[in-house]
Amino acid sequence: MEELIAYFEQLDPVTAALLATIFTWLLTAAGASLVFLFKKMNRKLFDGMLGFTGGVMVAASFWSLLAPGIEMSPGEGFEKTVPPLVGFGMGALFLFGLDKILPHLHVNFKMNETEGIKTPWHKSVLLTLAITLHNIPEGLAVGVLFGAAGAGLEGASIGGAVALAIGIGLQNFPEGFAVAMPLRGQGMSRWKSFNFGQLSAIVEPFAAVLGAWAVMTFEPILPYALSFAAGAMIFVVVEEVVPESQKGNFTDIPTMGFILGFMVMMTLDVGLG
């Protein structure tokens, strides 16, 4: 692991963010590739993986994003909370707006529960767009943290950025699975199901490069940018991931998955950051 961190330390932040999110995208593709082995998904396992995803995202939002954002903020007392509060609120509002506009369908929901602008788009497209919503703040978070570490700002480190990328990658595996398997179950070919599953994460490298470039170019926005990514991720967890995981009859399983995901991400961030 030390060699991996040393390798990323030699790269410029934008390149590091790009490579890290290509890794997270590849893990999404790995999850989607399970469609070549199975036609149906075990609902207990699926709900547990959704819970794990939520736990990773919540832990990453605090340990990797909000805490460094607060530490980097100027001032003392309540003044120090202003950038994180503003950024966090803006991130949540940004995803709220996307959620209302972008047509999408969550994995465990029926076609009449489609969200966003009404369209005649096929269920496969709507499912892919739902997971894509998850991935925008995740890619942005990785990019912003690499940018912060590259700028040498206190509270940010390459180790922490690598830990975040690993955590995001781990929870991307079930996200690829979450798109591909329902499509396969509806009769779509294995290859098409896989393609839709892996495409849901293709937005992450773009968001990461944008985030890293922005904070390197406009360094004063860094506390806002970190908190923005945190707010967007928390919105996704509360509005999408947790409700999806609780739609079945196995609510204890996603709850324990959430706890496990939180513990894993906290350990990665503290251990590597």
Side-chain angles (χ1 to χ4, degrees):
M1 189 62 69
E2 291 180 359
E3 291 80 5
L4 179 63
I5 294 174
Y7 171 75
F8 275 97
E9 286 176 340
Q10 298 172 7
L11 303 174
D12 70 88
V14 173
T15 302
L18 176 62
L19 291 178
T21 46
I22 287 175
F23 162 77
T24 63
W25 166 63
L26 288 174
L27 279 181
T28 305
S33 71
L34 292 178
V35 77
F36 294 108
L37 302 177
F38 308 101
K39 186 173 182 178
K40 295 181 180 179
M41 60 183 179
N42 182 294
R43 184 58 187 268
K44 291 182 180 180
L45 176 63
F46 178 70
D47 287 349
M49 290 195 297
L50 277 179
F52 181 86
T53 292
V56 168
M57 293 177 74
V58 169
S61 296
F62 177 74
W63 295 100
S64 300
L65 301 170
L66 267 180
I70 292 170
E71 189 173 344
M72 295 172 193
S73 297
E76 297 293 336
F78 287 111
E79 182 184 356
K80 198 173 183 65
T81 68
V82 172
L85 284 173
V86 172
F88 190 87
M90 290 177 64
L93 285 174
F94 174 71
L95 259 293
F96 175 80
L98 282 182
D99 187 69
K100 295 303 179 186
I101 296 171
L102 187 68
H104 61 284
L105 176 68
H106 303 308
V107 176
N108 289 328
F109 288 61
K110 300 176 182 178
M111 275 300 290
N112 61 4
E113 297 178 290
T114 300
E115 298 182 12
I117 297 173
K118 301 301 179 184
T119 72
W121 294 352
H122 193 272
K123 187 174 183 178
S124 57
V125 177
L126 296 173
L127 283 169
T128 304
L129 288 174
I131 302 298
T132 300
L133 274 176
H134 295 196
N135 291 324
I136 293 173
E138 293 167 6
L140 184 64
V142 173
V144 167
L145 200 54
F146 270 109
L153 296 176
E154 186 177 356
S157 68
I158 294 296
V162 169
L164 178 60
I166 293 173
I168 295 297
L170 288 175
Q171 60 94 44
N172 271 9
F173 185 87
E175 287 187 353
F177 177 82
V179 175
M181 292 305 295
L183 297 179
R184 177 59 183 157
Q186 294 167 21
M188 184 176 287
S189 72
R190 285 185 170 90
W191 184 249
K192 283 188 176 180
S193 299
F194 166 77
N195 274 331
F196 276 109
Q198 60 87 22
L199 276 174
S200 63
I202 200 67
V203 70
E204 285 192 3
F206 295 99
V209 167
L210 176 63
W213 171 83
V215 298
M216 290 292 291
T217 306
F218 309 104
E219 194 172 303
I221 72 168
L222 187 51
Y224 297 92
L226 287 167
S227 305
F228 181 96
M233 289 178 69
I234 292 295
F235 180 91
V236 166
V237 172
V238 176
E239 204 275 338
E240 298 179 12
V241 177
V242 170
E244 287 173 34
S245 72
Q246 299 291 321
K247 288 282 281 188
N249 299 318
F250 315 106
T251 55
D252 288 344
I253 293 175
T255 300
M256 295 310 298
F258 185 100
I259 299 299
L260 178 62
F262 189 98
M263 292 168 63
V264 168
M265 186 65 235
M266 179 180 67
T267 302
L268 282 171
D269 190 84
V270 175
L272 297 179

